[in-house]
Amino acid sequence: MALVMRIFILGAGATGSLLAQLLERQGHTVWCGDRDPQRARRFLGKHCSIQVLTVNARNLRAIVRAAKGSQLIVNASASVFNEIVLRAALRLRAHYLDLSSHLTRNPFKAEQLRYSKRFEQKNRLALINAGAAPGLTNLLVQRAADLLDQVHRAHIRLYESSESDDPISQWSPVVSFDEATSRPRIYREGRFHLAKRFSDPEKFRFLDPVGPARVYLAAQDEVATLPHFTPMRDLDAKIGGNEIERLRRWYRQGKLSKSRGLVRHRFPDTSSPKKIAKLIRHGVLQNARFAAAVVVSGVQLADKEEVHLRVRSDVLFPSLYAIRRQGRYTTPVAYATAHIAAQFVKQFPRKISGVFPPEALPEETRRAILAGVRSQGLRVTHKISILKPSDDEEEF
């Protein structure tokens, strides 16, 4: 039986507001904090009864006051606030969950892991990077690793597109800008490296109707946890789609850098459901898609012989058109992240303490989350291929 909790969510934007409604539907007592409650109300909807408090995410005391009485604190705001919210959870002896890492202290190790001993001392759990990518992608890499005796390579491939003439932020503009201006992290031959932005182009075939797309190295958080918990030799993450192509074009034109700062017309605020409905109605936004694939290769030992395998998992999230048919107006990325985070909460482990990324959770919990993701209507497929021993790196 799922654990019913009192949950405080910091950040009630596109993802946080939908997550709050999904958790309330699970039977939890939910309330939110946001620096702009009026904006949060636009995301929650005028008929939603979930309380929204005014909270400055930079103010530890304000978070502690707003979250008092909670058993779980969720940081659905920008990852730059992770450590402040972690400290708030420790003060309140509450569990913690977030959706991504910020990686300013160490680009190759999630900053939340520094708090593991403190959460163990409080007998509380901090579940980090518990969204779609990172999150579900971590679970799929670990699922493949469980089938292998040795993991050689893990490749994470993402696809994000919006059929719109104008830039549409599927993430918050701060998150999108940070990802676009950060150097990709890769793991090669057992060592971490920083790569060039938008480098190493590759043609990758996603599930239909997405099909083949050109993908580029991207600054994904999976690289900052997976090699620390799952022995492997190589790991990288790449993203494709018209949004990444637009960012790449701006980068090559010299219009995209941290020194220039966030330019609002290139990274607009995340659209509220009412704004998305208007964009669709006026034909500005026709559709949007989000897809993920994980390809893991390695060795399985059978009767003292090595069998070289490739394990591939694909996820096709509902398109904007499919989400709209459900009566919701949100982006595929926000929809996927909120629904998967809700499954992490539903299967929240009761008997472990410390800081855990998805791949470090008990196998029973990981299996239950993946089963829950499928029950939400997300299309997940798996395929295992036998490779020749010399076939270290086939073209995809």
Side-chain angles (χ1 to χ4, degrees), residues 241-259:
N242 61 0
E243 292 187 9
I244 204 76
E245 294 289 354
R246 181 186 290 128
L247 293 172
R248 180 172 175 264
R249 184 172 66 251
W250 290 340
Y251 172 67
R252 297 179 74 177
Q253 292 171 350
K255 298 176 181 178
L256 188 64
S257 67
K258 288 188 177 181
S259 61

Side-chain angles (χ1 to χ4, degrees), residues 287-335:
N287 204 355
R289 295 192 184 278
F290 181 38
V294 166
V295 184
V296 181
S297 60
V299 171
Q300 188 182 80
L301 302 177
D303 297 327
K304 297 182 180 180
E305 290 187 3
E306 291 186 350
V307 180
H308 291 250
L309 299 177
R310 175 177 294 144
V311 184
R312 173 167 174 159
S313 300
D314 285 272
V315 188
L316 191 62
F317 302 99
S319 66
L320 180 71
Y321 178 75
I323 295 168
R324 190 178 67 181
R325 291 184 65 185
Q326 295 179 19
R328 291 192 177 276
Y329 290 90
T330 188
T331 65
V333 172
Y335 180 95

Side-chain angles (χ1 to χ4, degrees), residues 196-384:
K196 292 182 179 179
R197 282 180 282 169
F198 307 104
S199 63
D200 198 12
E202 164 195 312
K203 195 170 185 180
F204 185 86
R205 177 172 286 278
F206 293 90
L207 285 182
D208 289 334
V210 175
R214 190 167 294 278
V215 295
Y216 308 89
L217 284 174
Q220 282 293 120
D221 297 340
E222 293 92 335
V223 183
T225 63
L226 274 165
H228 298 289
F229 293 89
T230 306
M232 62 180 66
R233 197 170 68 205
D234 295 340
L235 171 66
D236 63 28
K238 296 182 180 182
I239 302 179
N242 61 0
E243 292 187 9
I244 204 76
E245 294 289 354
R246 181 186 290 128
L247 293 172
R248 180 172 175 264
R249 184 172 66 251
W250 290 340
Y251 172 67
R252 297 179 74 177
Q253 292 171 350
K255 298 176 181 178
L256 188 64
S257 67
K258 288 188 177 181
S259 61
R260 292 174 67 97
L262 190 154
V263 181
R264 279 294 171 186
H265 71 271
R266 294 197 177 98
F267 295 89
D269 285 334
T270 309
S271 299
S272 66
K274 188 175 181 180
K275 178 72 178 296
I276 288 178
K278 183 179 179 180
L279 292 173
I280 293 172
R281 193 165 56 248
H282 291 174
V284 176
L285 177 61
Q286 295 85 37
N287 204 355
R289 295 192 184 278
F290 181 38
V294 166
V295 184
V296 181
S297 60
V299 171
Q300 188 182 80
L301 302 177
D303 297 327
K304 297 182 180 180
E305 290 187 3
E306 291 186 350
V307 180
H308 291 250
L309 299 177
R310 175 177 294 144
V311 184
R312 173 167 174 159
S313 300
D314 285 272
V315 188
L316 191 62
F317 302 99
S319 66
L320 180 71
Y321 178 75
I323 295 168
R324 190 178 67 181
R325 291 184 65 185
Q326 295 179 19
R328 291 192 177 276
Y329 290 90
T330 188
T331 65
V333 172
Y335 180 95
T337 303
H339 274 79
I340 294 167
Q343 289 302 314
F344 276 101
V345 175
K346 186 175 183 179
Q347 304 300 334
F348 205 83
R350 309 183 192 200
K351 298 180 181 179
I352 58 175
S353 60
V355 178
F356 286 73
E359 63 270 22
L361 290 172
E363 184 177 0
E364 181 182 359
T365 302
R366 289 187 276 110
R367 286 176 179 268
I369 294 168
L370 287 173
V373 166
R374 279 184 158 177
S375 72
Q376 295 297 307
L378 274 64
R379 182 180 165 194
V380 184
T381 62
H382 306 292
K383 181 181 179 182
I384 300 177

Side-chain angles (χ1 to χ4, degrees), residues 127-248:
L127 180 49
I128 67 172
N129 296 356
L136 178 59
T137 45
N138 300 60
L139 293 179
L140 293 174
V141 170
Q142 187 58 49
R143 178 190 177 277
D146 289 341
L147 301 174
L148 301 167
D149 293 293
Q150 297 175 15
V151 176
H152 291 166
R153 299 177 182 82
H155 302 290
I156 297 167
R157 301 293 181 258
L158 306 173
Y159 179 86
E160 300 173 15
S161 74
S162 298
E163 294 176 21
S164 170
D165 294 333
D166 300 328
I168 303 291
S169 286
Q170 293 217 44
W171 289 104
S172 76
V174 174
V175 173
S176 298
F177 176 75
D178 185 59
E179 183 178 275
T181 55
S182 297
R183 291 179 65 185
R185 294 167 283 274
I186 59 176
Y187 191 65
R188 290 280 188 269
E189 297 295 332
R191 299 186 67 178
F192 291 100
H193 303 274
L194 288 173
K196 292 182 179 179
R197 282 180 282 169
F198 307 104
S199 63
D200 198 12
E202 164 195 312
K203 195 170 185 180
F204 185 86
R205 177 172 286 278
F206 293 90
L207 285 182
D208 289 334
V210 175
R214 190 167 294 278
V215 295
Y216 308 89
L217 284 174
Q220 282 293 120
D221 297 340
E222 293 92 335
V223 183
T225 63
L226 274 165
H228 298 289
F229 293 89
T230 306
M232 62 180 66
R233 197 170 68 205
D234 295 340
L235 171 66
D236 63 28
K238 296 182 180 182
I239 302 179
N242 61 0
E243 292 187 9
I244 204 76
E245 294 289 354
R246 181 186 290 128
L247 293 172
R248 180 172 175 264

Side-chain angles (χ1 to χ4, degrees), residues 31-42:
W31 69 102
C32 298
D34 198 280
R35 62 184 173 86
D36 188 347
Q38 288 188 331
R39 176 177 174 271
R41 277 274 154 233
R42 292 197 291 272

